[in-house]
Amino acid sequence: MAFEWLNKFHKEMEKPVDYAQKTLAQYRLGMKAKGSIAGVAIAPDENGCAASKGLDATAVYHPDDAPHLPLPDCTKGRHCGCVYRPVMTYQMKSQ
Ligand SMILES: [Zn+2]
């Protein structure tokens, strides 16, 4: 599965400094390559920082337009549990 490496990040406590850039770049490539990725969603931290509570968890962003994680006003910084999730085209159709 192509996104296994992402799931590894999700289980770690601290995000790499380039988490947003690297992850969004992967989604951007995925969208160009096969067309199976419709966009990116943000799964907010379950133990939520105030910043992530303001996010729309159902919103689907283009990688170029997605808010960068961790959010600028996040109190947890790189320890924030907010993560990107790929939204596949088949998920879009079923909605
Ligand atoms: Zn946060």
Side-chain angles (χ1 to χ4, degrees):
M1 184 62 191
F3 289 100
E4 245 170 46
W5 66 272
L6 283 174
N7 289 328
K8 281 178 197 157
F9 283 160
H10 295 165
K11 293 187 181 101
E12 286 168 11
M13 286 299 293
E14 192 175 73
K15 288 176 168 57
V17 185
D18 59 353
Y19 172 76
Q21 289 93 322
K22 203 172 175 182
T23 306
L24 292 173
Q26 285 295 319
Y27 289 138
R28 206 175 286 125
L29 282 176
M31 288 174 77
K32 282 181 188 166
K34 288 182 183 173
S36 57
I37 297 177
V40 55
I42 294 176
D45 189 339
E46 284 170 18
N47 305 314
C49 58
S52 70
K53 290 207 193 306
L55 287 172
D56 181 358
T58 63
V60 178
Y61 303 94
H62 186 278
D64 291 343
D65 303 328
H68 277 202
L69 296 178
L71 295 169
D73 49 351
C74 179
T75 50
K76 296 167 83 176
R78 281 161 60 201
H79 291 275
C80 182
C82 298
V83 292
Y84 295 115
R85 296 284 184 204
V87 178
M88 312 306 279
T89 48
Y90 65 79
Q91 291 175 307
M92 296 295 283
K93 282 170 196 159
S94 66
Q95 276 171 2

